Structure formats: C-alpha cells, structure tokens
Amino acid sequence: MGYDDLSKYHITLNRYEKELVIKSLKQSEENTAKCIEKYQLSSLFSMLEDWKFGHMQQSLYNITCLDLSHCDLTTLPNALKFLRLNNLNLAHNQLNAVPSCLYGGGLQSLQILDLSFNMITQFDVEPDCISTLRVLRLNNNLFENVPIWFLTFRCPALEEFNYSENKAKHFNFLKHSCNFNVMCLKKLELVSACLVGRDAEWLRMFKKLQFLDISNHESLCRRTINKFRYFNDFFIKPLWDDLYVLKLMHLDMTFFPEGIFWIESLKELNVSNNLLTWFPLGIEYLVNLEVLNVSFNNVIELPQGISKLRKLRVLIASHNHLDNVPLMPQSLNTLDLYNNYLETMQLMHFSHTELLDLEANFVCLSDVNIICEKYYLQRDKFRSIYQCKNRINGLSIKVRERYFSPQSTDSETEEESVSDENVNTLESSLSSENWDLEYEVSRNGKITDISWSDDEYTGENSVEIKKPGFNMYCNEEDWIFVDAD
C-alpha cells in the first residue's frame, strides 16, 4: 500500500499537557473530534519523507506518542526515526517486517513498542531503542522464534513482554545464558507459545515478576499450545516475591497444583476452562487473594478455606458441578454460580454481595420465599459488567431436558423447546414440599422409574418373571431366596 492509499485515514494533533499526541481517526469521526489541526495520513508521511515541515516543524518534532493502529499499513517512512517518540503503536496493520525506522540511529528513546497483530516473521536484529525499551508487544504475528536479544536479555529496562499466539515451534529458553539479576521483567504473557515442562525452570527465575499468563487460547491450535505434564514444577522454589496475577487457562489441568498456595502475594488466580474436580487443602494461605476464577471446570465442591480469605472480592465458579457452597467471606461482593447443581439456596449467606448470578441450577429462584427484587438487579448488573451473553433464567437446561422431551424443530433453541407452562409447573413442583408427589426427583434431575405407589402393599401375592434383559419386578420377598434353598 502506497501513501496515496492512506487518504481515508486522518490524524489529529491534540495537546495533552505539554505533549503533542497524534492518533488515527476514522473519517466518520473527523467532524466530531476537537483538535488543533487535521491532516491526511498520506500527507503526513509525505512531509516526513520530504522533510518539508514549514510551520509544522516544531509540532512534529515534539510528538512523543504516535498511534497508527488499524490503518492497514504495509510500510512506514524511514523519516519517522527523526521524531522524539517514546510510544509507537503499530498494532492491527499488515506489516510483514520490522519497520526500518527502528534502526540507523532512530527512535533511540522509544519506551513502548506495539507490533501486535501483524504478519512479521522475524525480529532477530536488535533495535536501537534496546536500552530504553520498557514495553514490547509482539503477539499475534508469524514469528517462529523468540528474538535472541530478548533471550539473552540485552534489554535491561524491559518490564512487559507479550509473545502470545505466534507460529513458534519448541524453543528451550535455558540454552541462552543471561543474567537474571539485572532483569526488571514484571509482566510476561506467553499464551499458546509452545511452552513445555522444562521451560518452568526459566520462568521461575524472574524475581520481579508480577503478572504471568501461560494459558492457551480458546481455539487451541494444537501445534503451538503450551503443554505441561507436571504443573507443580512451576512452583518449586520460585523467586517470585511480588507475583500478583497468575493465569492458567485451557491447559487440560486435572489436578490443582498445591504449590500455588505458597505464593502469598497472589491477588488474582484464574484456572478456568480446565478439568479440575476438587481443590486440595491450603487455599486459606492465599491471604491476599482478591479474585478467583474456577469457571468451566468439573468442580464438585469448593474448599471450606474460602471463608478465611478476608480479601476475596470476586469468585467466578460458573459451569461446574457444585451442589452446595461453603460460607463466603464478608469481603465478597461478586459471586457467579451460574449453571451448577445447586438444589438449595440461602440468599442470606450472600446478603453482602453486590453482583450475583444463581441461575441455571436445580433450585427454583422464582419462589418468593427465597428470592427478592434486589437479586434480579444484582444478576442483570453482573451480566452487564462481565458481558455474559446467552445465559438463561430459571432452572438448568439439564433439568428441563430430563423432565420434558418435546418434539422441537431445527429452528428452535433449547430454551424455546420447553414451553413456559411446563417450566412453571416444574419449578412449582420442585419448590413445594409435597412428599406425595407421584414421581421422585433424583439428585441429578432424572425421574426415577419407581413411583411412590409401587411401595404400597396391596395384599396380593403375585410374582411376575420376565425374560432376561428386561426389568424384573417382585413384591414377594421369599422369592429372592429360592435359588439359595
């Protein structure tokens, strides 16, 4: 794409304190933006290449932040290197190589560089800003290897590095020697980065690390996913003194690594979308934990130690197999128990929560004895803030399907296939305490084959023997011991 093709993109020069900030704007937003001056992006690039600033010379020279994301760029003018930029955002473009303005003595004071969501294949030559670079985002490109200058840690000021979802094959971090004592890395994102178990030793060495995400992306590209066999290897004497956020999502984790409980500095833990069924003892040692996400697992019981987490504010436990919940700490203000197996509910235990979702369980929330108008406001507010879409209200789909099996068409959804009248009847029967119901509702929502009337003694001695393979029914006890005699 040449510069003439950029006429549909516009830029504005806005004064922010004493800096001139330049950002790209859509043409439809041009008239609504309040700015000092406006220019076409192609005109700016032409001025930079010809170096004919005129009255713009001082303004362009003072630009410190350049945001050219979402501009369909395939190249950049080399003259950009003469600007005094400390923040360059080139995300979501069509670049297939690192811009030349990062070399040849240019942009030596650059601190933030965002090259994410492009088509760059290599970054082996270190940029001129390597000594000042604090944030580097290379995620969602076509890299096959991590830059050598990062592995050897020739960027001592680097605090944030994102190398998620590239085309990297397996690489062994430990074969590159570096001085871990000078590392300032605080945030590390390696989502779907082809990590393996032996890379745990390298990750444990970042003493100042505060944010670590080694999850897999939801799409799970099998060639680049992180594969770990023993998750506890990450927690064998790690040097993390200030790790606040840990994300371990989509890793097929079946056992919760107990070593996590020794990271007392942890404030947010996300182990959603795994295969966890239970939690070991020790969660109460996470005394600083504020956010816990265990959604989309097979958890059947939450640990009682949760009640001792005095700083816990958010608990997301939707889409599990919970049939009861322990006492929650008073600090909790957000609780998500959507789509579980809860049969009873005491809202008084959650009276201190501000955001709450208890739908799609085995308990009838429509019963006025256990629900109030406040809950509906809490539920709707939670779904709005956390952007929870396609959630149903009322009983779980699992219960509805097992009670009613209507003949639905292909165009009908699961909720539409069950009439409101049937759902209301079902909820009414579950919420009442009528022990003479004809059918007994089992714990998993199924209707048992034996009704209450089968237990009644009629005075008749009848024995009905059916062929093998069929259910057999007998109301004469002595018949059971015929073979024994």
Side-chain angles (χ1 to χ4, degrees):
M1 176 183 292
Y3 299 141
D4 294 336
D5 299 327
L6 299 174
S7 57
K8 62 180 179 179
Y9 297 102
H10 290 68
I11 58 173
T12 61
L13 274 67
N14 298 335
R15 288 196 176 275
Y16 177 72
E17 295 181 353
K18 296 183 179 180
E19 298 179 345
L20 285 170
V21 181
I22 184 170
K23 286 190 175 184
S24 61
L25 289 178
K26 296 181 180 178
Q27 196 167 10
S28 60
E29 301 171 344
E30 181 182 2
N31 295 329
T32 60
K34 295 181 180 179
C35 57
I36 298 175
E37 298 179 79
K38 294 180 181 178
Y39 302 88
Q40 290 185 349
L41 190 56
S42 56
S43 300
L44 172 68
F45 285 179
S46 298
M47 285 189 296
L48 288 173
E49 285 193 327
D50 296 337
W51 203 244
K52 295 178 181 179
F53 291 120
H55 69 285
M56 285 288 296
Q57 183 173 3
Q58 186 64 32
S59 298
L60 288 179
Y61 190 67
N62 289 334
I63 292 176
T64 58
C65 177
L66 180 59
D67 187 344
L68 297 177
S69 59
H70 300 276
C71 288
D72 297 331
L73 295 174
T74 58
T75 185
L76 284 175
N78 189 50
L80 274 178
K81 67 182 181 181
F82 297 110
L83 300 181
R84 293 181 176 180
L85 296 180
N86 58 36
N87 187 341
L88 178 58
N89 187 352
L90 300 173
H92 294 275
N93 283 292
Q94 300 180 26
L95 301 173
N96 54 22
V98 177
S100 59
C101 58
L102 294 173
Y103 302 102
L107 301 179
Q108 295 185 8
S109 60
L110 194 65
Q111 298 181 19
I112 302 175
L113 176 60
D114 192 342
L115 293 172
S116 60
F117 293 93
N118 280 281
M119 298 180 290
I120 305 174
T121 57
Q122 60 179 355
F123 199 177
D124 293 335
V125 180
E126 61 187 50
D128 293 339
C129 57
I130 192 170
S131 61
T132 60
L133 198 61
R134 294 190 300 105
V135 178
L136 178 60
R137 300 187 182 103
L138 302 179
N139 54 294
N140 298 89
N141 276 277
L142 302 178
F143 290 109
E144 295 185 355
N145 293 293
V146 178
I148 300 298
W149 50 268
F150 169 77
L151 292 178
T152 54
F153 227 81
R154 290 177 48 79
C155 38
L158 192 64
E159 298 179 359
E160 178 181 339
F161 182 64
N162 191 338
Y163 188 75
S164 302
E165 298 186 63
N166 282 289
K167 302 298 180 182
K169 300 177 182 178
H170 170 60
F171 40 78
N172 190 347
F173 290 110
L174 292 177
K175 67 182 180 182
H176 302 281
S177 60
C178 55
N179 186 0
F180 287 94
N181 294 326
V182 299
M183 290 182 178
C184 297
L185 200 63
K186 296 180 180 179
K187 184 174 182 179
L188 183 58
E189 296 178 81
L190 297 172
V191 178
S192 297
C194 203
L195 297 175
V196 293
R198 55 176 169 264
D199 295 321
E201 183 178 352
W202 179 78
L203 292 172
R204 295 197 305 260
M205 302 300 292
F206 293 99
K207 186 174 183 179
K208 297 182 180 180
L209 200 62
Q210 298 178 1
F211 183 108
L212 178 61
D213 189 353
I214 52 175
S215 308
N216 282 318
H217 189 265
E218 186 177 0
S219 60
L220 289 180
C221 177
R222 307 306 299 182
R223 193 173 67 87
T224 60
I225 64 172
N226 298 329
K227 301 177 183 178
F228 308 121
R229 185 175 181 182
Y230 303 108
F231 289 91
N232 264 325
D233 291 345
F234 288 93
F235 310 103
I236 301 176
K237 297 181 179 180
L239 299 181
W240 310 322
D241 292 334
D242 299 312
L243 187 65
Y244 299 145
V245 179
L246 178 61
K247 295 187 177 183
L248 304 170
M249 302 173 289
H250 292 282
L251 292 174
D252 295 334
M253 185 164 50
T254 56
F255 296 97
F256 187 88
E258 299 182 32
I260 293 180
F261 295 151
W262 296 105
I263 310 177
E264 295 185 3
S265 60
L266 206 60
K267 293 184 177 180
E268 179 179 343
L269 175 60
N270 192 331
V271 291
S272 62
N273 293 277
N274 281 290
L275 303 175
L276 300 174
T277 57
W278 62 283
F279 287 83
L281 298 176
I283 195 172
E284 61 271 14
Y285 295 117
L286 297 177
V287 293
N288 294 303
L289 192 64
E290 299 179 6
V291 179
L292 176 60
N293 191 337
V294 297
S295 60
F296 291 94
N297 278 281
N298 301 320
V299 179
I300 59 177
E301 184 179 10
L302 292 175
Q304 297 293 329
I306 284 184
S307 61
K308 299 180 181 180
L309 301 179
R310 302 305 180 188
K311 295 184 179 181
L312 188 65
R313 298 182 295 103
V314 179
L315 175 58
I316 308 296
S318 60
H319 300 277
N320 279 284
H321 298 164
L322 300 173
D323 57 5
N324 64 79
V325 291
L327 188 65
M328 296 296 169
Q330 292 295 320
S331 59
L332 192 71
N333 61 17
T334 301
L335 177 61
D336 184 15
L337 295 175
Y338 178 84
N339 193 19
N340 276 280
Y341 289 173
L342 298 174
E343 295 179 343
T344 59
M345 187 68 61
Q346 296 292 335
L347 287 186
M348 65 182 64
H349 293 164
F350 315 124
S351 58
H352 50 281
T353 59
E354 299 178 3
L355 306 178
L356 185 64
D357 195 344
L358 305 174
E359 303 293 341
N361 280 281
F362 289 0
V363 63
C364 299
L365 296 177
S366 59
D367 191 341
V368 294
N369 294 326
I370 62 173
I371 201 65
C372 59
E373 189 66 26
K374 178 183 177 182
Y375 163 73
Y376 296 118
L377 297 177
Q378 292 173 321
R379 179 197 65 193
D380 296 341
K381 186 177 180 180
F382 170 82
R383 294 182 180 182
S384 174
I385 294 177
Y386 285 84
Q387 299 181 350
C388 299
K389 300 179 180 179
N390 302 321
R391 287 196 171 188
I392 66 171
N393 297 328
L395 290 171
S396 170
I397 285 291
K398 298 182 287 291
V399 178
R400 298 185 186 187
E401 289 179 343
R402 289 166 182 172
Y403 271 86
F404 306 104
S405 300
Q407 298 295 328
S408 58
T409 61
D410 295 338
S411 61
E412 290 178 330
T413 61
E414 290 180 312
E415 297 99 295
E416 294 171 343
S417 64
V418 182
S419 66
D420 293 337
E421 182 179 355
N422 289 338
V423 172
N424 293 334
T425 302
L426 176 59
E427 292 184 350
S428 176
S429 64
L430 288 177
S431 61
S432 63
E433 296 184 359
N434 184 6
W435 300 105
D436 294 327
L437 291 176
E438 180 66 19
Y439 295 105
E440 177 185 4
V441 182
S442 63
R443 178 178 176 274
N444 59 8
K446 293 183 179 179
I447 300 178
T448 57
D449 295 332
I450 302 176
S451 65
W452 292 106
S453 59
D454 292 332
D455 293 333
E456 298 177 2
Y457 178 69
T458 61
E460 298 179 359
N461 296 325
S462 60
V463 178
E464 182 180 1
I465 302 177
K466 296 183 179 181
K467 295 180 180 180
F470 292 86
N471 292 330
M472 302 181 64
Y473 171 74
C474 174
N475 64 358
E476 187 175 315
E477 276 188 359
D478 293 340
W479 177 84
I480 302 176
F481 304 101
V482 170
D483 292 340
D485 295 337

